[in-house]
């Protein structure tokens, strides 16, 4: 029988000893604990985590169908890279690549790869641009010492990361006050014989708009004709790659444009899969630099890999395939239109409050609302973000834009599948109430302001 004076026995019988003791956090634990205790310990920490459904900052999927979740749960034990052992998973990856190439209007046979997300896809795509450029230069007997890559200040940080990690000069076109994307006139002065490529964004992290991809394509065609330089374009469709084909099918940005040679898209954003899955798709097989593909003999079979990682999970590749066949074009179109309709509703409500200016609402945009205070209210957008979070737990980001628009602040609400019509109404009301509180009490104390999160969210 358990004794009242035996705390260990009581802990075994009644629960976790970490209820009253410090949790393991520095030293590798000498002893373990029963599984239920470990589960409770982790769950207790996670109780303090933000609620993804109220995270209006993230582009990443926060809800999937139960059937998709079942596929994920049933395939967590399969290592994706083991193509020899799991050939059907490898085949399913290839199916996804072919379907995405088809969605992006590839003219013929193509190639690509699944990745952890758009960041890995961008690093690989940009490496291919560099390898191709170097080969061209070597063949012409020219120097390969100073490669450069041209992109706007509206890109995600991974583009700067690529340049730093892989020794390429970043030729960044700065943004301007009121101008948050780039076009051909911005790109023209930066392109020369050392340009490995131009990166353009479809659905920027900052405002959800696209660069003038048609205009940049025309510029690159002109440069090819007049200067004999064949400069490829990579489109960063991390978010937009799964939005434009369904909301703006007649707006060309993909392989319909001749200079677009590679595209990345995050399956875990508007591809509607949980993190982490991304895709890199080439226009044609020739657009992937052959030297980057490793032929290896692994577990007795020759395999070709083009990744920065090796072992990784299969589950999200399978979940992506589930979504592609489950929704098809009709389903994705229906879901994207719903998100857009709810984003429009939220925009209307914010507009009607008379306090806010909506940013680029009439342009092609991701299903989100980007806005800022229209006048001087005695408080700012960071104060609203803080107040809204304190009152209702919404995570609505406020952030300043990259140079040279760094004096401009924006708020941005993603409208995803988890933000239905009634929650849109609640959110709008909560924003109005947060502003009313601030009307009465004024802006935040400077100590609070220092603690406001200022990132865009991803
Ligand atoms: C335009 C853009 N490119 C790249 C990325 C990086 O994507 P991932 O998080 O899938 O690596 C993001 C993330 O928000 C993005 O918005």
């Amino acid at each position: 029988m358990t004794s009242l004076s035996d705390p260990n026995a009581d802990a075994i019988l009644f629960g976790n000893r970490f209820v009253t003791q410090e949790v393991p956090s520095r030293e590798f634990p000498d002893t373990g604990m029963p599984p239920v205790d470990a589960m409770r310990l982790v769950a207790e920490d996670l109780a303090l985590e933000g609620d993804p459904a109220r995270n209006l900052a993230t582009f990443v999927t926060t809800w999937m169908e139960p059937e998709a979740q079942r596929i994920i749960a049933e395939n967590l034990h399969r290592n994706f890279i083991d193509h020899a052992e799991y050939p059907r998973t490898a085949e399913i990856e290839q199916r996804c690549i072919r379907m995405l190439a088809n969605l992006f209007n590839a003219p013929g046979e193509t190639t690509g790869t699944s990745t952890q997300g758009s960041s890995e896809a961008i690093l690989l795509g940009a490496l291919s641009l560099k390898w191709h450029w170097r080969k061209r230069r070597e063949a012409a007997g020219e120097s390969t010492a100073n490669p450069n890559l041209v992109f706007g200040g509206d890109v995600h940080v991974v583009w700067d990361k690529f340049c730093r990690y892989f020794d390429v000069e970043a030729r960044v076109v700065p943004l301007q006050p009121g101008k948050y994307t780039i076009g051909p006139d911005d790109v023209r002065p930066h392109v020369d014989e050392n340009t490995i490529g131009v990166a353009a964004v479809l659905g920027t992290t900052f405002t959800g708009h696209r660069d003038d991809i048609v205009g940049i394509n025309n510029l690159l065609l002109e440069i090819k004709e007049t200067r004999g330089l064949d400069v490829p374009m990579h489109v960063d469709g991390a978010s937009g790659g799964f939005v434009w084909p369904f909301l703006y099918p007649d707006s060309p940005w993909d392989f319909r444009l001749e200079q677009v040679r590679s595209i990345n898209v995050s399956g875990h954003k508007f591809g509607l899969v949980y993190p982490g899955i991304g895709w890199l798709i080439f226009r044609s097989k020739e657009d992937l630099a052959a030297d980057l593909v490793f032929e290896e003999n692994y577990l007795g079979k020759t395999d070709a890999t083009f990744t920065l990682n090796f072992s990784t999970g299969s589950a999200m590749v399978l979940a992506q395939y589930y979504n592609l066949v489950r929704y098809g074009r009709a389903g994705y179109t229906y879901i994207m239109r719903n998100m857009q309709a709810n984003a429009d509703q939220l925009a209307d409500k914010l507009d009607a409050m008379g306090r806010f200016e909506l940013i680029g609402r009439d342009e092609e945009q991701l299903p989100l609302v980007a806005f800022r205070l229209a006048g001087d209210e005695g408080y700012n957008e960071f104060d609203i973000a803080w107040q809204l979070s304190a009152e209702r737990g919404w995570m609505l980001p406020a952030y300043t834009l990259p140079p040279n628009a760094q004096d401009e602040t924006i708020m941005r609400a993603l409208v995803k599948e988890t933000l239905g019509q009634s929650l849109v109404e609640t959110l709008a009301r909560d924003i109005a109430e947060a502003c009313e509180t601030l009307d009465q009490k004024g802006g935040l104390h400077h100590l609070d302001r220092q603690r406001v999160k200022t990132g865009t969210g991803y």
Side-chain angles (χ1 to χ4, degrees):
M1 200 175 127
T2 310
S3 149
L4 276 178
S5 59
D6 182 349
N8 269 342
D10 284 350
I12 289 167
L13 190 59
F14 301 119
N16 196 329
R17 67 185 186 278
F18 296 107
V19 172
T20 53
Q21 286 176 22
E22 203 179 328
V23 302
S25 64
R26 289 175 190 279
E27 285 162 15
F28 200 94
D30 286 331
T31 58
M33 65 179 82
V36 171
D37 287 2
M39 186 178 74
R40 280 184 55 190
L41 181 64
V42 175
E44 198 172 295
D45 261 322
L46 294 182
L48 299 177
E49 211 76 287
D51 174 4
R54 276 186 284 184
N55 182 354
L56 304 172
T58 185
F59 293 90
V60 170
T61 302
T62 49
W63 180 83
M64 286 189 80
E65 293 184 329
E67 291 81 359
Q69 295 190 35
R70 184 168 156 186
I71 290 192
I72 292 169
E74 288 175 359
N75 287 283
L76 291 170
H77 57 331
R78 253 180 259 284
N79 183 359
F80 176 75
I81 204 72
D82 265 355
H83 292 171
E85 311 305 322
Y86 309 126
R88 300 315 296 167
T89 304
E91 159 59 16
I92 284 175
E93 181 210 30
Q94 292 304 310
R95 288 182 197 169
C96 292
I97 290 167
R98 289 193 291 269
M99 287 181 190
L100 289 174
N102 175 250
L103 184 69
F104 299 160
N105 295 294
E109 220 186 319
T110 178
T111 187
T113 183
S114 61
T115 57
Q116 280 302 311
S118 277
S119 300
E120 188 192 359
I122 286 167
L123 296 175
L124 288 169
L127 273 174
S128 188
L129 295 178
K130 185 176 175 186
W131 255 241
H132 269 308
W133 166 84
R134 195 168 53 198
K135 209 167 175 184
R136 279 198 307 274
R137 298 284 291 171
E138 280 168 357
E142 308 275 6
S143 162
T144 57
N146 298 306
N148 69 69
L149 180 64
V150 179
F151 51 83
D154 55 341
V155 297
H156 185 267
V157 64
V158 66
W159 286 98
D160 291 302
K161 199 183 249 189
F162 167 78
C163 289
R164 197 184 301 172
Y165 286 5
F166 294 102
D167 249 337
V168 171
E169 179 199 347
R171 293 197 171 166
V172 187
V173 181
L175 304 186
Q176 301 298 328
K179 182 173 178 297
Y180 311 136
T181 54
I182 63 162
D185 294 339
D186 304 304
V187 169
R188 187 187 294 275
H190 300 287
V191 173
D192 62 23
E193 67 285 359
N194 286 318
T195 302
I196 66 169
V198 176
V201 192
L202 185 79
T204 73
T205 321
F206 303 100
T207 65
H209 295 109
R210 60 163 173 74
D211 288 333
D212 180 358
I213 299 172
V214 170
I216 296 171
N217 180 68
N218 290 341
L219 168 73
L220 296 179
L221 287 174
E222 178 200 311
I223 289 176
K224 187 154 66 174
E225 203 172 301
T226 55
R227 291 160 62 186
L229 295 175
D230 185 3
V231 180
M233 176 162 34
H234 175 102
V235 175
D236 178 354
S239 290
F242 266 108
V243 172
W244 258 255
F246 307 114
L247 286 186
Y248 312 109
D250 299 326
S251 172
W253 60 274
D254 53 14
F255 298 126
R256 283 168 285 184
L257 307 177
E258 191 176 319
Q259 292 307 103
V260 175
R261 302 291 166 76
S262 47
I263 295 171
N264 68 275
V265 63
S266 296
H268 56 216
K269 294 192 170 98
F270 291 91
L272 308 178
V273 181
Y274 286 144
I277 179 84
W279 300 94
L280 172 63
I281 310 290
F282 289 93
R283 178 189 193 81
S284 71
K285 289 194 160 173
E286 294 69 46
D287 287 300
L288 164 57
D291 294 352
L292 288 171
V293 180
F294 272 78
E295 302 277 347
E296 65 203 309
N297 188 325
Y298 186 64
L299 298 178
K301 279 196 176 170
T302 304
D303 204 1
T305 61
F306 173 49
T307 56
L308 294 178
N309 305 301
F310 196 67
S311 294
T312 188
S314 295
M316 299 308 161
V317 174
L318 300 173
Q320 181 76 78
Y321 184 64
Y322 169 90
N323 274 359
L324 298 185
V325 297
R326 153 86 177 111
Y327 297 133
R329 284 179 197 259
Y332 271 105
T333 304
Y334 178 80
I335 293 168
M336 297 302 150
R337 283 188 182 157
N338 283 347
M339 292 181 186
Q340 186 70 337
N342 284 333
D344 278 344
Q345 278 224 23
L346 180 61
D348 286 344
K349 287 179 189 304
L350 291 173
D351 202 24
M353 287 177 206
R355 297 176 187 267
F356 297 112
E357 175 195 338
L358 299 168
I359 293 157
R361 193 183 175 185
D362 302 332
E363 297 162 38
E364 294 174 6
Q365 195 177 22
L366 297 172
L368 56 78
V369 185
F371 59 104
R372 63 162 71 94
L373 281 168
D376 185 2
E377 304 271 353
Y379 51 86
N380 65 24
E381 289 83 356
F382 297 105
D383 299 347
I384 298 175
W386 177 265
Q387 193 62 38
L388 189 64
S389 145
E391 288 183 10
R392 298 289 179 191
W394 291 110
M395 291 165 259
L396 177 64
Y399 46 88
T400 52
L401 290 170
N404 294 330
Q406 67 272 25
D407 295 331
E408 304 199 6
T409 306
I410 280 190
M411 304 193 80
R412 185 204 61 199
L414 260 294
V415 179
K416 299 200 301 261
E417 281 187 288
T418 41
L419 203 73
Q421 200 254 352
S422 90
L423 275 189
V424 162
E425 283 188 13
T426 307
L427 171 64
R429 202 168 51 237
D430 290 346
I431 292 173
E433 283 177 11
C435 290
E436 281 158 25
T437 309
L438 290 166
D439 286 338
Q440 290 180 36
K441 75 168 192 183
L444 297 185
H445 188 274
H446 72 96
L447 289 179
D448 287 333
R449 258 201 196 143
Q450 281 168 12
R451 297 174 61 197
V452 179
K453 182 175 167 286
T454 57
T456 52
Y458 304 106

